[in-house]
């Protein structure tokens, strides 16, 4: 962990530069190696084709991020990372936000140790 999932509406697919956004997000998470092991970082994006925003009368768009982490991090660390991730999203999407109706959001989902199964040999590369 952490895993981050970016959902975005297909009406912005040509402008969002999603690969660049995923790289920036990974760079943020990598910059906190004492909080998150590099080998556990996963980011992915899901383009949404079926959605409805507000009353559906406009060509509204949204980008929603879900940061999933394992239990046990300090509240101050979680706040620091989430603030930086959302700031990164805002910066990356600033020009798009200035040109169209766009909703940005992010949530933190923290797993308990119970019910989480993991096996990962990528960590070995970073020891």
């Amino acid at each position: 962990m952490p895993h981050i999932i970016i959902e975005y509406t297909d009406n912005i697919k040509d402008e969002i530069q999603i690969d660049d956004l995923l790289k920036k997000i990974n760079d943020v998470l990598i910059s906190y190696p004492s909080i998150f092991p590099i080998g556990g970082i996963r980011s992915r994006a899901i383009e949404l084709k079926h959605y409805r925003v507000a009353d559906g009368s406009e060509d509204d768009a949204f980008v929603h991020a879900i940061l999933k982490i394992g239990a046990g991090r300090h509240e101050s660390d979680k706040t620091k990372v989430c603030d930086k991730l959302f700031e990164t999203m805002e910066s990356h999407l600033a020009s798009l936000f200035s040109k169209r109706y766009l909703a940005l959001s992010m949530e933190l989902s923290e797993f308990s140790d119970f019910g989480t199964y993991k096996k990962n040999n990528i960590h070995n590369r970073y020891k």
Side-chain angles (χ1 to χ4, degrees):
M1 293 284 182
H3 292 202
I4 190 158
I5 302 162
I6 306 292
E7 298 174 328
Y8 65 97
T9 55
D10 67 349
N11 58 348
I12 57 172
K13 67 181 174 188
D14 294 332
E15 300 172 273
I16 192 172
Q17 300 172 330
I18 196 65
D19 290 332
D20 290 341
L21 179 57
L22 292 176
K23 182 187 181 318
K24 290 174 185 176
I25 284 170
N26 270 38
D27 288 347
V28 168
L29 296 171
I30 288 168
S31 73
Y32 295 101
S34 63
I35 301 172
F36 302 116
I38 295 170
I41 297 170
R42 313 271 189 286
S43 63
R44 53 197 174 270
I46 301 169
E47 180 184 313
L48 302 171
K49 295 183 185 306
H50 306 282
Y51 55 89
R52 187 170 179 90
V53 180
D55 65 2
S57 65
E58 296 285 336
D59 187 33
D60 298 325
F62 69 84
V63 177
H64 179 69
I66 305 162
L67 175 63
K68 297 182 176 193
I69 64 172
R73 275 115 180 150
H74 296 285
E75 292 297 318
S76 61
D77 288 338
K78 292 184 286 189
T79 299
K80 180 173 40 177
V81 170
C82 286
D83 287 351
K84 184 63 177 171
L85 284 170
F86 197 73
E87 176 186 303
T88 299
M89 287 175 56
E90 285 181 300
S91 175
H92 181 84
L93 297 164
S95 67
L96 187 58
F97 194 87
S98 70
K99 294 188 290 190
R100 64 159 22 263
Y101 292 115
L102 177 64
L104 303 179
S105 57
M106 188 179 85
E107 68 181 276
L108 174 64
S109 175
E110 188 171 5
F111 292 102
S112 69
D113 288 331
F114 177 76
T116 302
Y117 301 86
K118 298 179 254 182
K119 184 175 182 179
N120 179 351
N121 65 5
I122 298 171
H123 294 291
N124 298 339
R125 192 167 63 230
Y126 297 99
K127 289 185 178 180

